[in-house]
Amino acid sequence: MASSSVPSLMKDEEPRNWAELPSELTFSILNRLGAIDILENAQKVCTSWRRVSLDPLMWRKIDMHYLGDMGSMIYDFESMCRHAVDRSQGGLVEIDIWHFGTDDLLNYIADRSSNLRSLRLAMCNQITDEGVTEAVVKLPLLEDLDVSFCAFLGESLRVVGQSCPNLKTLKLNRSPGIDCFLFRPNINAIVIAESMPNLRHIQLFGNEINNTGLNAILDGCPHVEHLDLRKCFNINLVEDIEKRCSERIRVLRRPYDSTADFLFDNIWFLECYSDSDSDDADRDDDYDDDSSSSMA
């Protein structure tokens, strides 16, 4: 009897109409997606989903995290990102950009997002020190900054420290040798120590920093609780500096600690080592149709 009743129930049941979901539930579903999925797919499902996708609250956090092959990408990510920022209507508090960031895009975001608290720029090689300097002065509320595998140097970081007094987290993850070619391995560490006294979390994965730079950070950043020094092979944690770290730092990741939980470990960093060893040494209009739209 039980087995024969199942087909009967399925036959009598009406198909689910996704367009009739309560707006709160639709918001919860879309809020779990990244900006790319919303703009390219979810907002096209039906009118009600598109209406929810236009809600500025949907764009308080913009995730443009992309792991595909950038060389064969079919999207204009910069245009897409600008459109997402416009939809936030000034309410953006967190943004995550991989690969495609430029000075112009960074300043577009800064001009429209004075409430921004968290900014991640990963592998954005087109962003320069000048672009960073121009943008961060417009972001006084910034608390978390992640610039992973970007070519920023000390002086732009100094402007970050001076312009963003609320900064609590700095992730400055580097590719091998990016500082040492200037013969200034501690340039970033010294600037951090001099301009970012309120930091609680510092990640310096792959930096050329040595014990001199580490001592400067310990002197200049008295509130640091988490310090990640993995792949910082110029640091030698012995004697006095070992004692200072043990007494001051609640969570310490040492130069030779495992990188299994590091976000970029299998994405970019190992490829960079491989490259350095071998070398030695048409959708722009899709997002322009509703910039002035609002929820009906």
Side-chain angles (χ1 to χ4, degrees), residues 59-208:
W59 303 97
R60 286 173 54 82
K61 177 180 178 180
I62 296 175
D63 181 2
M64 298 292 290
H65 175 174
Y66 180 72
L67 294 179
D69 179 6
M70 296 299 293
S72 60
M73 66 179 182
I74 61 174
Y75 305 131
D76 181 345
F77 285 109
E78 184 163 348
S79 176
M80 188 182 295
C81 186
R82 288 172 185 255
H83 184 71
V85 171
D86 290 341
R87 285 193 179 187
S88 75
Q89 297 184 19
L92 181 65
V93 296
E94 180 178 343
I95 191 164
D96 189 345
I97 297 173
W98 289 44
H99 298 289
F100 63 90
T102 64
D103 287 350
D104 286 344
L105 177 60
L106 183 58
N107 276 280
Y108 189 90
I109 294 167
D111 286 337
R112 293 158 178 79
S113 310
S114 60
N115 293 310
L116 194 68
R117 261 68 168 184
S118 178
L119 172 64
R120 171 185 283 163
L121 303 170
M123 295 167 278
C124 296
N125 295 324
Q126 297 182 68
I127 293 181
T128 67
D129 290 279
E130 292 76 13
V132 174
T133 299
E134 184 179 351
V136 296
V137 297
K138 308 166 190 174
L139 302 173
L141 301 182
L142 198 66
E143 298 177 1
D144 302 323
L145 177 63
D146 181 342
V147 283
S148 293
F149 309 111
C150 300
F152 309 151
L153 295 176
E155 291 314 305
S156 60
L157 288 174
R158 188 181 301 279
V159 177
V160 171
Q162 294 169 344
S163 304
C164 308
N166 297 319
L167 199 66
K168 301 294 190 298
T169 299
L170 176 68
K171 296 183 179 182
L172 187 66
N173 303 311
R174 311 291 273 179
S175 56
I178 199 167
D179 300 322
C180 66
F181 79 97
L182 294 173
F183 305 104
R184 301 177 67 186
N186 295 308
I187 178 173
N188 292 322
I190 292 171
V191 169
I192 290 169
E194 293 176 348
S195 63
M196 303 179 184
N198 295 318
L199 287 178
R200 266 67 172 174
H201 303 261
I202 303 177
Q203 186 174 71
L204 299 174
F205 192 102
N207 276 247
E208 300 291 338

Side-chain angles (χ1 to χ4, degrees), residues 24-35 37-38 58 63:
E24 296 83 0
L25 182 55
T26 301
F27 185 97
S28 179
I29 292 171
L30 298 190
N31 202 40
R32 288 166 168 74
L33 303 177
D37 284 333
I38 294 175
M58 181 65 62
D63 181 2

Side-chain angles (χ1 to χ4, degrees), residues 17-29 48-49 52:
N17 187 346
W18 293 97
E20 295 179 356
L21 289 174
S23 59
E24 296 83 0
L25 182 55
T26 301
F27 185 97
S28 179
I29 292 171
S48 64
W49 281 42
V52 171

